[in-house]
Amino acid sequence: MRSTGSGLTLQQRIDARSVRTTKLFGSTQVQRFLDAARTLITERGSTDFTMHEVVDRAGQSLRSFYLLFDGKHELLLALYEEAIAKVAHQVREATANDGDPLARLRTAVELTFEFCRPDPGAHRPLFTEFAPQLLMSDPIEIQVAHASLFELLVDLMGDAEAAGYLRARTRPRRLAAMTLQTVMFVAQNARPDEPHPITATEVWNLCAFGALGAADGVAGSRR
């Protein structure tokens, strides 16, 4: 599961990752390492483990691990991509039967926020520890990891545009990118222990309507 060169374009990296994921995620040996790391994360509530612990838990050799992964970072990246793909699948299922494109888009935004925010009752260190670190160290890599969720939002934005919900001359793909970045950033930095934690409805209202009222929006556009 070795990483592709950083000289590739974003789309090339997404395509290469998709091919590699399809080929290797079906491998029993790869799955053993992923399952072992996932179990350690669940037990500890954090990503604080060593490769020796993963190898021992998987019943494999260290050499076999490094034939498949560059190191711990790539293992965590594979787990994070897997988690994002599961979120995308759950959101797609939840939006499949609603006939209103705007309602589907709202459901997608709110569910993505709920799935990715910190939760005292559900440890999600891949989202709360690893993803923020990845955002700082390699913002392009996190876009690659979010590809499945991003493409779902692109589809929903396109449906909303076709139904006349989006402003004229907007581009659904760019709106989907900005929406996903906003939702993920807010979710990963949300504090559930605050007196008034940010809610999914507030995030939707920000993404859908912005910060200005109708009158302010009209006035602002004339400046």
Side-chain angles (χ1 to χ4, degrees):
M1 196 142 178
R2 301 202 171 258
S3 9
T4 55
S6 58
L8 298 176
T9 67
L10 175 59
Q11 189 58 52
Q12 287 172 329
R13 291 173 75 173
I14 291 172
D15 292 342
R17 178 69 52 76
S18 177
V19 171
R20 192 167 65 255
T21 299
T22 300
K23 182 184 299 183
L24 292 179
F25 271 30
S27 162
T28 301
Q29 193 174 37
V30 169
Q31 200 58 52
R32 284 175 182 165
F33 287 123
L34 294 177
D35 290 343
R38 195 182 302 107
T39 299
L40 288 167
I41 289 172
T42 301
E43 289 175 355
R44 299 179 182 183
S46 77
T47 57
D48 185 18
F49 57 81
T50 68
M51 290 303 91
H52 285 286
E53 290 173 317
V54 172
V55 167
D56 289 344
R57 186 66 64 98
Q60 303 292 307
S61 69
L62 196 61
R63 179 178 180 278
S64 64
F65 174 84
Y66 282 107
L67 287 174
L68 297 168
F69 297 93
D70 286 339
K72 181 177 179 178
H73 175 84
E74 194 173 18
L75 176 65
L76 290 174
L77 181 59
L79 288 170
Y80 182 64
E81 288 179 20
E82 184 181 64
I84 288 293
K86 287 180 180 178
V87 169
H89 177 72
Q90 290 174 294
V91 172
R92 190 177 291 279
E93 284 194 330
T95 59
N97 297 320
D98 198 320
D100 181 15
L102 189 61
R104 290 201 300 272
L105 186 57
R106 176 171 184 165
T107 297
V109 167
E110 292 186 346
L111 279 181
T112 299
F113 175 78
E114 293 291 357
F115 283 136
C116 299
R117 70 179 177 84
D119 183 346
H123 295 297
R124 297 166 178 162
L126 287 171
F127 291 97
T128 58
E129 294 177 16
F130 179 69
Q133 294 170 7
L134 186 62
L135 180 62
M136 296 297 294
S137 64
D138 194 342
I140 296 298
E141 193 69 72
I142 205 166
Q143 291 183 59
V144 176
H146 288 168
S148 58
L149 193 52
F150 170 64
E151 292 301 333
L152 171 58
L153 278 179
V154 170
D155 291 343
L156 294 174
M157 282 288 183
D159 292 343
E161 180 189 41
Y165 282 115
L166 303 188
R167 295 192 304 273
R169 295 183 297 279
T170 57
R171 288 182 280 180
R173 197 168 188 87
R174 289 178 68 84
L175 287 178
M178 289 186 286
T179 298
L180 181 58
Q181 290 176 27
T182 299
V183 174
M184 296 297 289
F185 182 84
V186 175
Q188 290 163 356
N189 290 276
R191 292 280 303 277
D193 56 343
E194 290 181 345
H196 303 287
I198 295 172
T199 66
T201 299
E202 288 178 300
V203 175
W204 162 250
N205 286 336
L206 174 63
C207 293
F209 310 114
L212 301 180
D216 290 332
V218 172
S221 66
R222 291 174 181 169
R223 290 178 187 146

